[in-house]
Amino acid sequence: MTPRFGARCLFCFCNTTLCLLLALFIFWLIFLPKEPKFTVSNASLTQFNFNNNTLYYNLALNITIQNPNKRVGIYYLHIQVIANYRKERFSMVNLTSPPFYQGHKNTTFLHDVLVEGQQSVEFGEHELSQFNSETAAGVYNIDVKLALWVRARYGKFKTADYGSSKIDCKLKVPLSFSETPATDFNTTKCGNVYVLTNP
């Protein structure tokens, strides 16, 4: 390989790389992808009892999903709801709703997402003390995570399926004695993750 030929190869490689980077930058400027926004708009907790190392629970959630993008659509292939109390997982629910597409600047409502049942958990002395304090106050700190499997749509181009991405919703849920949503529950914004970039 002559020095001149090597220089030409290097020039072509650098030129191609710059063109690709420029194309990616223009693509990003056109679509400006933003992560969707998740909010728990209401919650109803009608049972949250701990007896004989078993937690009995009945929690219903209303969840709002906002797609703020002007040119990016999102396919939700599967959603899983994971509920934790004091870092102890007590429920994992797979939503049975079919996959759905959320268009540009669109809002989707998930009503009455039900988390109910019973689960064996082990509370230490500190966790049990916190549970008793929250029982006396009538308000429980429950950490709800949403595991998402999604696909993005940029114009006519669809990405491959993304791996599981998690949304964290730290809730303060008052105990209710009816199945109607609690009027004193504060709408809670969830911590978003970047579901529109490859994991």
Side-chain angles (χ1 to χ4, degrees):
M1 179 185 298
T2 64
R4 181 175 295 179
F5 180 77
R8 286 180 180 176
C9 288
L10 180 61
F11 174 79
C12 290
F13 174 78
C14 293
N15 199 31
T16 302
T17 302
L18 287 175
C19 288
L20 286 174
L21 291 175
L22 181 60
L24 288 173
F25 180 68
I26 293 173
F27 179 86
W28 181 83
L29 285 179
I30 292 173
F31 289 99
L32 289 175
K34 300 176 183 178
E35 68 246 45
K37 307 295 182 183
F38 289 78
T39 303
V40 178
S41 55
N42 223 324
S44 174
L45 182 67
T46 56
Q47 184 181 28
F48 208 65
N49 303 324
F50 181 68
N51 293 309
N52 298 322
N53 291 328
T54 302
L55 186 66
Y56 301 86
Y57 53 90
N58 192 317
L59 173 66
L61 305 170
N62 290 341
I63 301 171
T64 302
I65 309 173
Q66 293 178 310
N67 177 8
N69 293 285
K70 294 181 180 180
R71 297 180 177 87
V72 182
I74 305 171
Y75 292 91
Y76 291 87
L77 308 176
H78 181 63
I79 300 178
Q80 191 175 68
V81 180
I82 304 165
N84 301 274
Y85 180 77
R86 298 293 166 185
K87 297 183 180 181
E88 289 282 346
R89 177 184 296 183
F90 64 84
S91 183
M92 185 168 61
V93 177
N94 294 303
L95 298 192
T96 57
S97 57
F100 62 92
Y101 173 73
Q102 187 177 45
H104 316 148
K105 305 292 287 186
N106 186 268
T107 300
T108 301
F109 301 95
L110 303 179
H111 295 290
D112 296 325
V113 176
L114 191 60
V115 180
E116 65 174 345
Q118 62 185 61
Q119 178 65 39
S120 296
V121 295
E122 293 186 8
F123 287 154
E125 184 176 343
H126 176 71
E127 288 77 15
L128 187 58
S129 176
Q130 291 293 322
F131 178 86
N132 291 332
S133 296
E134 292 181 8
T135 298
V139 180
Y140 296 92
N141 290 284
I142 298 176
D143 186 14
V144 172
K145 288 182 170 60
L146 305 176
L148 311 171
W149 286 262
V150 301
R151 178 185 298 171
R153 178 175 178 176
Y154 299 88
K156 294 184 178 181
F157 172 74
K158 297 178 184 178
T159 67
D161 297 352
Y162 291 94
S164 174
S165 301
K166 289 185 179 178
I167 307 297
D168 190 20
C169 309
K170 298 186 180 299
L171 309 179
K172 290 183 178 291
V173 189
L175 186 65
S176 174
F177 297 99
S178 67
E179 294 185 357
T180 57
T183 55
D184 49 352
F185 174 80
N186 294 322
T187 297
T188 304
K189 293 183 179 181
C190 304
N192 291 344
V193 295
Y194 292 92
V195 300
L196 296 183
T197 56
N198 284 317

